[in-house]
Amino acid sequence: MAPPMKVCIVGSGSWGSAIGKIAGENAAKSKRFDNTVIMWVFEEMVKDRKLTEIINTDHENVKYLPGYKLPVNVIAVPDLLDAARDADILIFAVPHQFIRQTCDELKGHVKPSTIGISLIKGFDTGLDGLKLASDMIREILGIEVTVLSGACLASEVAAEKFCEGTIGAADIAHGNVSKELLQTQNFWIRVVEEADTVEICGALKNVVAVGAGFCDGLGCGDNTKAAVIRLGLMEMIAFARLCCRGPVQCSTFLESCGVADLIATCYRGHNRKIAKAFTVTGKTIAQLEEEMLDGQKLQGPRTAIEINRTLQLHNLVHRFPLFTAVYQICYECKPISEFIPCLQDHPEHQ
């Protein structure tokens, strides 16, 4: 019998901590996984105490997931290499802008047989086009990667409210291992082979959610917001077909990673909330992050930058008016009042 697989969670924000709660509970009950789950925590002080000390003593991430106890077998470690040493499964839960730096630090310290699980919702764009977070992990660390996405807000997962998720895995066997580690009675997971589509959905829906927040801030009503969601979904499908390797099936957008996650994020979540505040207060995204996110970073506007770069490369900006309007409003001082007129001229209406 193979030795139990050692699990390390790379990142300890709200989603990383919620997944840590599940992984810790499942590892304690399964012979497939080592009982101890390590969680790498970027060390910071919270009311004169180290965050790692709080997690290991009080078994709660009081800064990023307050009110929810973590299993005692989840151990916070402040040094990345110490945390990841000998890991058989690495769960990546850092903001997408930090994934390259994190992988560069891990390079040469990860076993080739290690399975990566990416929870990251974002991507980068360079001269060669779009680069998914899973691509960066694969290329820098030389390991296989599955991706998890879906309508699963961290606080609700931690509260054990029923929800669904989607794992995308080119290697179904690795997808099933990931599912065994992360599925619970209240967090139901389906494995699909279309990993790129699953991953890109998780990034793009945050941009649509910014648009939904603009609607809320403008007082447009539910009919307009529904139109934003529908048009956003159409742009998500078109963008995935532009950038993903291999076929992109519409059926994947009917999984939790697609329409379900889109709806949940457009009615709740940081991107909608801050976009609404951006509309109402006139403050910058950076100011609102500092005031409302307690150190966390908003992914939607940053993803809009990468989308715009990709569309510029392909000379297709005009085909994606919702994505483009979000980028221009956030970064080019386009008046928020022009958001709805941009959608009225959408190619879908011609």
Side-chain angles (χ1 to χ4, degrees):
M1 183 176 178
M5 303 177 79
K6 296 182 179 180
V7 178
C8 170
I9 301 167
V10 181
S12 58
S14 57
W15 191 209
S17 297
I19 286 296
K21 181 175 183 293
I22 289 176
E25 291 170 352
N26 283 350
K29 296 182 290 187
S30 172
K31 293 182 179 179
R32 183 190 282 268
F33 307 108
D34 190 87
N35 181 70
T36 299
V37 172
I38 302 297
M39 183 164 67
W40 173 60
V41 175
F42 182 79
E43 192 69 280
E44 53 189 308
M45 301 301 293
V46 179
K47 295 182 179 178
D48 298 323
R49 295 177 69 194
K50 292 180 179 180
L51 184 55
T52 53
E53 177 197 338
I54 296 171
I55 292 172
N56 291 333
T57 304
D58 302 344
H59 307 294
E60 181 181 350
N61 189 336
V62 295
K63 182 164 185 179
Y64 298 114
L65 195 67
Y68 299 99
K69 289 293 184 180
L70 297 173
V72 296
N73 61 322
V74 174
I75 306 299
V77 174
D79 183 273
L80 177 59
L81 296 186
D82 285 345
R85 184 173 289 115
D86 298 324
D88 299 293
I89 297 177
L90 285 172
I91 303 175
F92 292 90
V94 295
H96 89 268
Q97 61 266 32
F98 300 126
I99 186 58
R100 187 179 295 277
Q101 172 188 336
T102 303
C103 287
D104 283 341
E105 190 172 343
L106 286 170
K107 187 175 182 179
H109 300 275
V110 175
K111 297 183 293 187
S113 60
T114 298
I115 299 172
I117 304 174
S118 176
L119 313 184
I120 298 168
K121 298 183 175 180
F123 47 76
D124 287 338
T125 306
L127 295 176
D128 297 328
L130 181 143
K131 180 81 72 175
L132 298 173
S134 62
D135 290 332
M136 288 183 264
I137 297 168
R138 243 180 241 109
E139 291 173 10
I140 297 172
L141 300 183
I143 62 175
E144 287 301 313
V145 184
T146 68
V147 297
L148 171 67
S149 193
C152 34
L153 297 167
S155 60
E156 295 188 7
V157 171
E160 300 183 13
K161 296 180 179 180
F162 178 76
C163 61
E164 299 175 319
T166 310
I167 286 176
D171 185 322
I172 292 298
H174 287 171
N176 288 333
V177 171
S178 304
K179 176 178 177 177
E180 184 177 344
L181 176 63
L182 300 178
Q183 180 168 274
T184 72
Q185 183 177 357
N186 293 309
F187 183 27
W188 191 87
I189 293 173
R190 191 168 137 86
V191 180
V192 301
E193 290 185 273
E194 217 172 296
D196 285 1
T197 306
V198 171
E199 183 170 2
I200 208 167
C201 279
L204 298 181
K205 56 94 180 182
N206 286 328
V207 183
V208 183
V210 173
F214 291 162
C215 277
D216 289 346
L218 292 167
C220 293
D222 287 336
N223 290 340
T224 306
K225 191 168 179 177
V228 167
I229 293 171
R230 189 189 78 83
L231 292 171
L233 179 61
M234 298 304 292
E235 292 194 14
M236 287 171 60
I237 295 171
F239 192 86
R241 286 178 171 161
L242 175 68
C243 296
C244 288
R245 295 159 295 200
V248 172
Q249 306 294 333
C250 283
S251 59
T252 304
F253 290 87
L254 300 179
E255 300 288 346
S256 182
C257 64
V259 65
D261 195 12
L262 177 61
I263 292 169
T265 310
C266 285
Y267 279 90
R268 274 199 59 192
H270 294 325
N271 289 281
R272 185 214 65 85
K273 180 180 177 181
I274 287 190
K276 178 180 178 180
F278 176 86
T279 306
V280 172
T281 66
K283 295 180 179 179
T284 67
I285 296 294
Q287 287 174 316
L288 293 167
E289 282 179 331
E290 187 174 343
E291 292 176 11
M292 301 172 66
L293 293 189
D294 198 18
Q296 298 188 86
K297 297 296 182 183
L298 200 65
Q299 297 303 306
R302 287 172 174 80
T303 302
I305 295 174
E306 305 302 334
I307 290 172
N308 189 258
R309 288 174 179 165
T310 302
L311 297 178
Q312 294 282 359
L313 285 172
H314 292 277
N315 195 28
L316 287 173
V317 170
H318 64 288
R319 296 294 300 172
F320 295 82
L322 190 154
F323 288 166
T324 300
V326 169
Y327 167 74
Q328 291 175 336
I329 290 167
C330 289
Y331 296 106
E332 294 187 348
C333 299
K334 188 181 187 75
I336 189 74
S337 59
E338 294 186 24
F339 179 64
I340 301 303
C342 287
L343 303 184
Q344 291 170 333
D345 294 330
H346 199 286
E348 278 290 308
H349 297 149
Q350 297 172 10

PDB file of all heavy atoms in Angstrom, residues 110-143:
ATOM      1  N   VAL A 110      10.158  20.751  -5.134  1.00  0.00           N
ATOM      2  CA  VAL A 110       8.903  20.011  -5.253  1.00  0.00           C
ATOM      3  C   VAL A 110       9.147  18.721  -6.018  1.00  0.00           C
ATOM      4  O   VAL A 110       9.820  18.720  -7.050  1.00  0.00           O
ATOM      5  CB  VAL A 110       7.837  20.870  -5.992  1.00  0.00           C
ATOM      6  CG1 VAL A 110       6.566  20.062  -6.217  1.00  0.00           C
ATOM      7  CG2 VAL A 110       7.524  22.135  -5.202  1.00  0.00           C
ATOM      8  N   LYS A 111       8.612  17.620  -5.530  1.00  0.00           N
ATOM      9  CA  LYS A 111       8.780  16.326  -6.197  1.00  0.00           C
ATOM     10  C   LYS A 111       8.043  16.312  -7.537  1.00  0.00           C
ATOM     11  O   LYS A 111       6.924  16.846  -7.630  1.00  0.00           O
ATOM     12  CB  LYS A 111       8.231  15.207  -5.303  1.00  0.00           C
ATOM     13  CG  LYS A 111       8.955  15.047  -3.978  1.00  0.00           C
ATOM     14  CD  LYS A 111       8.411  13.867  -3.175  1.00  0.00           C
ATOM     15  CE  LYS A 111       6.988  14.099  -2.717  1.00  0.00           C
ATOM     16  NZ  LYS A 111       6.522  13.016  -1.793  1.00  0.00           N
ATOM     17  N   PRO A 112       8.616  15.702  -8.579  1.00  0.00           N
ATOM     18  CA  PRO A 112       7.942  15.641  -9.886  1.00  0.00           C
ATOM     19  C   PRO A 112       6.592  14.927  -9.832  1.00  0.00           C
ATOM     20  O   PRO A 112       5.726  15.181 -10.664  1.00  0.00           O
ATOM     21  CB  PRO A 112       8.939  14.857 -10.761  1.00  0.00           C
ATOM     22  CG  PRO A 112      10.259  15.013 -10.087  1.00  0.00           C
ATOM     23  CD  PRO A 112       9.972  15.106  -8.614  1.00  0.00           C
ATOM     24  N   SER A 113       6.418  14.047  -8.855  1.00  0.00           N
ATOM     25  CA  SER A 113       5.168  13.290  -8.744  1.00  0.00           C
ATOM     26  C   SER A 113       4.061  14.054  -8.028  1.00  0.00           C
ATOM     27  O   SER A 113       2.925  13.584  -7.945  1.00  0.00           O
ATOM     28  CB  SER A 113       5.430  11.976  -7.998  1.00  0.00           C
ATOM     29  OG  SER A 113       5.932  12.247  -6.677  1.00  0.00           O
ATOM     30  N   THR A 114       4.392  15.224  -7.509  1.00  0.00           N
ATOM     31  CA  THR A 114       3.405  16.013  -6.765  1.00  0.00           C
ATOM     32  C   THR A 114       2.241  16.424  -7.672  1.00  0.00           C
ATOM     33  O   THR A 114       2.439  16.771  -8.830  1.00  0.00           O
ATOM     34  CB  THR A 114       4.067  17.266  -6.161  1.00  0.00           C
ATOM     35  OG1 THR A 114       5.081  16.855  -5.244  1.00  0.00           O
ATOM     36  CG2 THR A 114       3.057  18.138  -5.435  1.00  0.00           C
ATOM     37  N   ILE A 115       1.051  16.387  -7.116  1.00  0.00           N
ATOM     38  CA  ILE A 115      -0.140  16.865  -7.826  1.00  0.00           C
ATOM     39  C   ILE A 115      -0.445  18.277  -7.340  1.00  0.00           C
ATOM     40  O   ILE A 115      -0.537  18.525  -6.135  1.00  0.00           O
ATOM     41  CB  ILE A 115      -1.357  15.958  -7.556  1.00  0.00           C
ATOM     42  CG1 ILE A 115      -1.095  14.533  -8.042  1.00  0.00           C
ATOM     43  CG2 ILE A 115      -2.612  16.526  -8.223  1.00  0.00           C
ATOM     44  CD1 ILE A 115      -2.179  13.548  -7.630  1.00  0.00           C
ATOM     45  N   GLY A 116      -0.597  19.206  -8.271  1.00  0.00           N
ATOM     46  CA  GLY A 116      -1.021  20.552  -7.922  1.00  0.00           C
ATOM     47  C   GLY A 116      -2.522  20.685  -8.079  1.00  0.00           C
ATOM     48  O   GLY A 116      -3.125  20.093  -8.991  1.00  0.00           O
ATOM     49  N   ILE A 117      -3.143  21.427  -7.186  1.00  0.00           N
ATOM     50  CA  ILE A 117      -4.564  21.776  -7.316  1.00  0.00           C
ATOM     51  C   ILE A 117      -4.637  23.301  -7.248  1.00  0.00           C
ATOM     52  O   ILE A 117      -4.274  23.897  -6.238  1.00  0.00           O
ATOM     53  CB  ILE A 117      -5.430  21.169  -6.193  1.00  0.00           C
ATOM     54  CG1 ILE A 117      -5.261  19.655  -6.130  1.00  0.00           C
ATOM     55  CG2 ILE A 117      -6.893  21.544  -6.398  1.00  0.00           C
ATOM     56  CD1 ILE A 117      -5.989  19.012  -4.940  1.00  0.00           C
ATOM     57  N   SER A 118      -5.074  23.917  -8.330  1.00  0.00           N
ATOM     58  CA  SER A 118      -5.138  25.379  -8.361  1.00  0.00           C
ATOM     59  C   SER A 118      -6.543  25.866  -8.039  1.00  0.00           C
ATOM     60  O   SER A 118      -7.522  25.453  -8.669  1.00  0.00           O
ATOM     61  CB  SER A 118      -4.718  25.907  -9.742  1.00  0.00           C
ATOM     62  OG  SER A 118      -4.879  27.313  -9.797  1.00  0.00           O
ATOM     63  N   LEU A 119      -6.627  26.754  -7.050  1.00  0.00           N
ATOM     64  CA  LEU A 119      -7.882  27.438  -6.722  1.00  0.00           C
ATOM     65  C   LEU A 119      -7.861  28.869  -7.248  1.00  0.00           C
ATOM     66  O   LEU A 119      -8.746  29.657  -6.936  1.00  0.00           O
ATOM     67  CB  LEU A 119      -8.089  27.480  -5.200  1.00  0.00           C
ATOM     68  CG  LEU A 119      -7.871  26.194  -4.392  1.00  0.00           C
ATOM     69  CD1 LEU A 119      -8.225  26.439  -2.934  1.00  0.00           C
ATOM     70  CD2 LEU A 119      -8.674  25.047  -4.957  1.00  0.00           C
ATOM     71  N   ILE A 120      -6.855  29.199  -8.041  1.00  0.00           N
ATOM     72  CA  ILE A 120      -6.580  30.585  -8.430  1.00  0.00           C
ATOM     73  C   ILE A 120      -7.496  31.018  -9.567  1.00  0.00           C
ATOM     74  O   ILE A 120      -7.667  30.298 -10.558  1.00  0.00           O
ATOM     75  CB  ILE A 120      -5.101  30.727  -8.846  1.00  0.00           C
ATOM     76  CG1 ILE A 120      -4.210  30.382  -7.650  1.00  0.00           C
ATOM     77  CG2 ILE A 120      -4.803  32.131  -9.351  1.00  0.00           C
ATOM     78  CD1 ILE A 120      -2.760  30.196  -8.000  1.00  0.00           C
ATOM     79  N   LYS A 121      -8.060  32.209  -9.419  1.00  0.00           N
ATOM     80  CA  LYS A 121      -8.994  32.733 -10.417  1.00  0.00           C
ATOM     81  C   LYS A 121      -8.396  33.986 -11.056  1.00  0.00           C
ATOM     82  O   LYS A 121      -8.684  35.107 -10.642  1.00  0.00           O
ATOM     83  CB  LYS A 121     -10.348  33.007  -9.765  1.00  0.00           C
ATOM     84  CG  LYS A 121     -10.976  31.726  -9.208  1.00  0.00           C
ATOM     85  CD  LYS A 121     -12.338  31.908  -8.620  1.00  0.00           C
ATOM     86  CE  LYS A 121     -12.925  30.569  -8.198  1.00  0.00           C
ATOM     87  NZ  LYS A 121     -14.269  30.679  -7.613  1.00  0.00           N
ATOM     88  N   GLY A 122      -7.531  33.769 -12.042  1.00  0.00           N
ATOM     89  CA  GLY A 122      -6.889  34.872 -12.739  1.00  0.00           C
ATOM     90  C   GLY A 122      -5.834  34.334 -13.675  1.00  0.00           C
ATOM     91  O   GLY A 122      -5.513  33.148 -13.645  1.00  0.00           O
ATOM     92  N   PHE A 123      -5.313  35.206 -14.537  1.00  0.00           N
ATOM     93  CA  PHE A 123      -4.281  34.785 -15.482  1.00  0.00           C
ATOM     94  C   PHE A 123      -3.437  35.992 -15.857  1.00  0.00           C
ATOM     95  O   PHE A 123      -3.755  37.133 -15.508  1.00  0.00           O
ATOM     96  CB  PHE A 123      -4.898  34.145 -16.734  1.00  0.00           C
ATOM     97  CG  PHE A 123      -6.038  34.918 -17.336  1.00  0.00           C
ATOM     98  CD1 PHE A 123      -5.803  36.064 -18.089  1.00  0.00           C
ATOM     99  CD2 PHE A 123      -7.347  34.507 -17.162  1.00  0.00           C
ATOM    100  CE1 PHE A 123      -6.846  36.779 -18.646  1.00  0.00           C
ATOM    101  CE2 PHE A 123      -8.411  35.218 -17.711  1.00  0.00           C
ATOM    102  CZ  PHE A 123      -8.152  36.359 -18.454  1.00  0.00           C
ATOM    103  N   ASP A 124      -2.356  35.729 -16.569  1.00  0.00           N
ATOM    104  CA  ASP A 124      -1.469  36.786 -17.056  1.00  0.00           C
ATOM    105  C   ASP A 124      -1.467  36.768 -18.577  1.00  0.00           C
ATOM    106  O   ASP A 124      -1.814  35.765 -19.204  1.00  0.00           O
ATOM    107  CB  ASP A 124      -0.036  36.579 -16.557  1.00  0.00           C
ATOM    108  CG  ASP A 124       0.114  36.889 -15.073  1.00  0.00           C
ATOM    109  OD1 ASP A 124      -0.718  37.637 -14.539  1.00  0.00           O
ATOM    110  OD2 ASP A 124       1.053  36.367 -14.453  1.00  0.00           O
ATOM    111  N   THR A 125      -1.043  37.891 -19.166  1.00  0.00           N
ATOM    112  CA  THR A 125      -0.911  37.976 -20.615  1.00  0.00           C
ATOM    113  C   THR A 125       0.440  38.566 -20.958  1.00  0.00           C
ATOM    114  O   THR A 125       0.824  39.601 -20.418  1.00  0.00           O
ATOM    115  CB  THR A 125      -2.021  38.855 -21.222  1.00  0.00           C
ATOM    116  OG1 THR A 125      -3.285  38.376 -20.796  1.00  0.00           O
ATOM    117  CG2 THR A 125      -1.959  38.818 -22.741  1.00  0.00           C
ATOM    118  N   GLY A 126       1.159  37.881 -21.835  1.00  0.00           N
ATOM    119  CA  GLY A 126       2.446  38.379 -22.302  1.00  0.00           C
ATOM    120  C   GLY A 126       2.459  38.470 -23.814  1.00  0.00           C
ATOM    121  O   GLY A 126       1.413  38.427 -24.466  1.00  0.00           O
ATOM    122  N   LEU A 127       3.635  38.573 -24.391  1.00  0.00           N
ATOM    123  CA  LEU A 127       3.771  38.681 -25.841  1.00  0.00           C
ATOM    124  C   LEU A 127       3.254  37.433 -26.548  1.00  0.00           C
ATOM    125  O   LEU A 127       2.828  37.488 -27.706  1.00  0.00           O
ATOM    126  CB  LEU A 127       5.235  38.931 -26.212  1.00  0.00           C
ATOM    127  CG  LEU A 127       5.828  40.263 -25.739  1.00  0.00           C
ATOM    128  CD1 LEU A 127       7.309  40.334 -26.086  1.00  0.00           C
ATOM    129  CD2 LEU A 127       5.071  41.446 -26.358  1.00  0.00           C
ATOM    130  N   ASP A 128       3.294  36.298 -25.839  1.00  0.00           N
ATOM    131  CA  ASP A 128       2.827  35.040 -26.430  1.00  0.00           C
ATOM    132  C   ASP A 128       1.342  34.792 -26.188  1.00  0.00           C
ATOM    133  O   ASP A 128       0.815  33.746 -26.543  1.00  0.00           O
ATOM    134  CB  ASP A 128       3.631  33.864 -25.870  1.00  0.00           C
ATOM    135  CG  ASP A 128       5.102  33.952 -26.225  1.00  0.00           C
ATOM    136  OD1 ASP A 128       5.401  34.477 -27.316  1.00  0.00           O
ATOM    137  OD2 ASP A 128       5.944  33.529 -25.416  1.00  0.00           O
ATOM    138  N   GLY A 129       0.680  35.751 -25.557  1.00  0.00           N
ATOM    139  CA  GLY A 129      -0.748  35.595 -25.300  1.00  0.00           C
ATOM    140  C   GLY A 129      -1.050  35.240 -23.859  1.00  0.00           C
ATOM    141  O   GLY A 129      -0.248  35.462 -22.957  1.00  0.00           O
ATOM    142  N   LEU A 130      -2.217  34.647 -23.662  1.00  0.00           N
ATOM    143  CA  LEU A 130      -2.737  34.380 -22.327  1.00  0.00           C
ATOM    144  C   LEU A 130      -1.997  33.226 -21.655  1.00  0.00           C
ATOM    145  O   LEU A 130      -1.682  32.229 -22.286  1.00  0.00           O
ATOM    146  CB  LEU A 130      -4.224  34.074 -22.433  1.00  0.00           C
ATOM    147  CG  LEU A 130      -5.010  33.780 -21.161  1.00  0.00           C
ATOM    148  CD1 LEU A 130      -6.405  34.380 -21.289  1.00  0.00           C
ATOM    149  CD2 LEU A 130      -5.130  32.274 -20.945  1.00  0.00           C
ATOM    150  N   LYS A 131      -1.738  33.388 -20.367  1.00  0.00           N
ATOM    151  CA  LYS A 131      -1.057  32.359 -19.572  1.00  0.00           C
ATOM    152  C   LYS A 131      -1.890  32.083 -18.316  1.00  0.00           C
ATOM    153  O   LYS A 131      -2.030  32.938 -17.446  1.00  0.00           O
ATOM    154  CB  LYS A 131       0.340  32.825 -19.184  1.00  0.00           C
ATOM    155  CG  LYS A 131       1.132  31.826 -18.369  1.00  0.00           C
ATOM    156  CD  LYS A 131       1.769  30.761 -19.229  1.00  0.00           C
ATOM    157  CE  LYS A 131       2.914  31.310 -20.027  1.00  0.00           C
ATOM    158  NZ  LYS A 131       3.605  30.221 -20.784  1.00  0.00           N
ATOM    159  N   LEU A 132      -2.454  30.876 -18.235  1.00  0.00           N
ATOM    160  CA  LEU A 132      -3.244  30.494 -17.074  1.00  0.00           C
ATOM    161  C   LEU A 132      -2.342  30.233 -15.877  1.00  0.00           C
ATOM    162  O   LEU A 132      -1.166  29.886 -16.026  1.00  0.00           O
ATOM    163  CB  LEU A 132      -4.059  29.239 -17.383  1.00  0.00           C
ATOM    164  CG  LEU A 132      -5.100  29.355 -18.505  1.00  0.00           C
ATOM    165  CD1 LEU A 132      -5.690  27.987 -18.788  1.00  0.00           C
ATOM    166  CD2 LEU A 132      -6.188  30.352 -18.159  1.00  0.00           C
ATOM    167  N   ALA A 133      -2.904  30.386 -14.689  1.00  0.00           N
ATOM    168  CA  ALA A 133      -2.133  30.106 -13.466  1.00  0.00           C
ATOM    169  C   ALA A 133      -1.641  28.669 -13.459  1.00  0.00           C
ATOM    170  O   ALA A 133      -0.511  28.385 -13.056  1.00  0.00           O
ATOM    171  CB  ALA A 133      -2.989  30.390 -12.239  1.00  0.00           C
ATOM    172  N   SER A 134      -2.482  27.743 -13.922  1.00  0.00           N
ATOM    173  CA  SER A 134      -2.067  26.330 -13.949  1.00  0.00           C
ATOM    174  C   SER A 134      -0.887  26.123 -14.897  1.00  0.00           C
ATOM    175  O   SER A 134      -0.026  25.275 -14.650  1.00  0.00           O
ATOM    176  CB  SER A 134      -3.239  25.432 -14.353  1.00  0.00           C
ATOM    177  OG  SER A 134      -3.689  25.747 -15.655  1.00  0.00           O
ATOM    178  N   ASP A 135      -0.854  26.897 -15.998  1.00  0.00           N
ATOM    179  CA  ASP A 135       0.285  26.810 -16.927  1.00  0.00           C
ATOM    180  C   ASP A 135       1.578  27.217 -16.234  1.00  0.00           C
ATOM    181  O   ASP A 135       2.626  26.589 -16.401  1.00  0.00           O
ATOM    182  CB  ASP A 135       0.060  27.716 -18.135  1.00  0.00           C
ATOM    183  CG  ASP A 135      -1.042  27.225 -19.051  1.00  0.00           C
ATOM    184  OD1 ASP A 135      -1.272  26.005 -19.086  1.00  0.00           O
ATOM    185  OD2 ASP A 135      -1.674  28.060 -19.727  1.00  0.00           O
ATOM    186  N   MET A 136       1.497  28.300 -15.459  1.00  0.00           N
ATOM    187  CA  MET A 136       2.695  28.776 -14.759  1.00  0.00           C
ATOM    188  C   MET A 136       3.176  27.740 -13.744  1.00  0.00           C
ATOM    189  O   MET A 136       4.377  27.477 -13.630  1.00  0.00           O
ATOM    190  CB  MET A 136       2.406  30.119 -14.086  1.00  0.00           C
ATOM    191  CG  MET A 136       2.283  31.268 -15.060  1.00  0.00           C
ATOM    192  SD  MET A 136       2.019  32.850 -14.217  1.00  0.00           S
ATOM    193  CE  MET A 136       0.242  32.974 -14.306  1.00  0.00           C
ATOM    194  N   ILE A 137       2.248  27.155 -13.004  1.00  0.00           N
ATOM    195  CA  ILE A 137       2.618  26.125 -12.027  1.00  0.00           C
ATOM    196  C   ILE A 137       3.280  24.947 -12.733  1.00  0.00           C
ATOM    197  O   ILE A 137       4.332  24.455 -12.327  1.00  0.00           O
ATOM    198  CB  ILE A 137       1.377  25.657 -11.242  1.00  0.00           C
ATOM    199  CG1 ILE A 137       0.785  26.807 -10.428  1.00  0.00           C
ATOM    200  CG2 ILE A 137       1.739  24.482 -10.313  1.00  0.00           C
ATOM    201  CD1 ILE A 137      -0.594  26.503  -9.854  1.00  0.00           C
ATOM    202  N   ARG A 138       2.654  24.505 -13.834  1.00  0.00           N
ATOM    203  CA  ARG A 138       3.169  23.372 -14.599  1.00  0.00           C
ATOM    204  C   ARG A 138       4.573  23.639 -15.121  1.00  0.00           C
ATOM    205  O   ARG A 138       5.474  22.816 -14.996  1.00  0.00           O
ATOM    206  CB  ARG A 138       2.231  23.114 -15.785  1.00  0.00           C
ATOM    207  CG  ARG A 138       1.546  21.771 -15.750  1.00  0.00           C
ATOM    208  CD  ARG A 138       0.627  21.581 -16.946  1.00  0.00           C
ATOM    209  NE  ARG A 138      -0.735  21.408 -16.479  1.00  0.00           N
ATOM    210  CZ  ARG A 138      -1.707  22.287 -16.616  1.00  0.00           C
ATOM    211  NH1 ARG A 138      -1.487  23.424 -17.228  1.00  0.00           N
ATOM    212  NH2 ARG A 138      -2.885  22.029 -16.135  1.00  0.00           N
ATOM    213  N   GLU A 139       4.748  24.795 -15.727  1.00  0.00           N
ATOM    214  CA  GLU A 139       6.014  25.104 -16.389  1.00  0.00           C
ATOM    215  C   GLU A 139       7.148  25.340 -15.399  1.00  0.00           C
ATOM    216  O   GLU A 139       8.282  24.914 -15.615  1.00  0.00           O
ATOM    217  CB  GLU A 139       5.833  26.326 -17.285  1.00  0.00           C
ATOM    218  CG  GLU A 139       4.943  26.056 -18.498  1.00  0.00           C
ATOM    219  CD  GLU A 139       4.637  27.304 -19.293  1.00  0.00           C
ATOM    220  OE1 GLU A 139       5.274  28.359 -19.022  1.00  0.00           O
ATOM    221  OE2 GLU A 139       3.761  27.250 -20.175  1.00  0.00           O
ATOM    222  N   ILE A 140       6.852  26.020 -14.290  1.00  0.00           N
ATOM    223  CA  ILE A 140       7.915  26.349 -13.336  1.00  0.00           C
ATOM    224  C   ILE A 140       8.259  25.157 -12.454  1.00  0.00           C
ATOM    225  O   ILE A 140       9.438  24.887 -12.185  1.00  0.00           O
ATOM    226  CB  ILE A 140       7.505  27.564 -12.469  1.00  0.00           C
ATOM    227  CG1 ILE A 140       7.319  28.802 -13.360  1.00  0.00           C
ATOM    228  CG2 ILE A 140       8.563  27.855 -11.398  1.00  0.00           C
ATOM    229  CD1 ILE A 140       6.729  30.004 -12.636  1.00  0.00           C
ATOM    230  N   LEU A 141       7.242  24.406 -12.013  1.00  0.00           N
ATOM    231  CA  LEU A 141       7.485  23.315 -11.070  1.00  0.00           C
ATOM    232  C   LEU A 141       7.554  21.942 -11.726  1.00  0.00           C
ATOM    233  O   LEU A 141       8.005  20.984 -11.097  1.00  0.00           O
ATOM    234  CB  LEU A 141       6.389  23.311  -9.990  1.00  0.00           C
ATOM    235  CG  LEU A 141       6.271  24.595  -9.150  1.00  0.00           C
ATOM    236  CD1 LEU A 141       5.192  24.418  -8.081  1.00  0.00           C
ATOM    237  CD2 LEU A 141       7.604  24.944  -8.502  1.00  0.00           C
ATOM    238  N   GLY A 142       7.086  21.835 -12.961  1.00  0.00           N
ATOM    239  CA  GLY A 142       7.158  20.553 -13.655  1.00  0.00           C
ATOM    240  C   GLY A 142       6.225  19.501 -13.102  1.00  0.00           C
ATOM    241  O   GLY A 142       6.535  18.310 -13.112  1.00  0.00           O
ATOM    242  N   ILE A 143       5.052  19.927 -12.599  1.00  0.00           N
ATOM    243  CA  ILE A 143       4.097  18.975 -12.030  1.00  0.00           C
ATOM    244  C   ILE A 143       2.756  19.089 -12.759  1.00  0.00           C
ATOM    245  O   ILE A 143       2.474  20.080 -13.424  1.00  0.00           O
ATOM    246  CB  ILE A 143       3.881  19.218 -10.518  1.00  0.00           C
ATOM    247  CG1 ILE A 143       3.282  20.619 -10.255  1.00  0.00           C
ATOM    248  CG2 ILE A 143       5.186  19.042  -9.763  1.00  0.00           C
ATOM    249  CD1 ILE A 143       2.930  20.893  -8.813  1.00  0.00           C
TER     250      ILE A 143
END
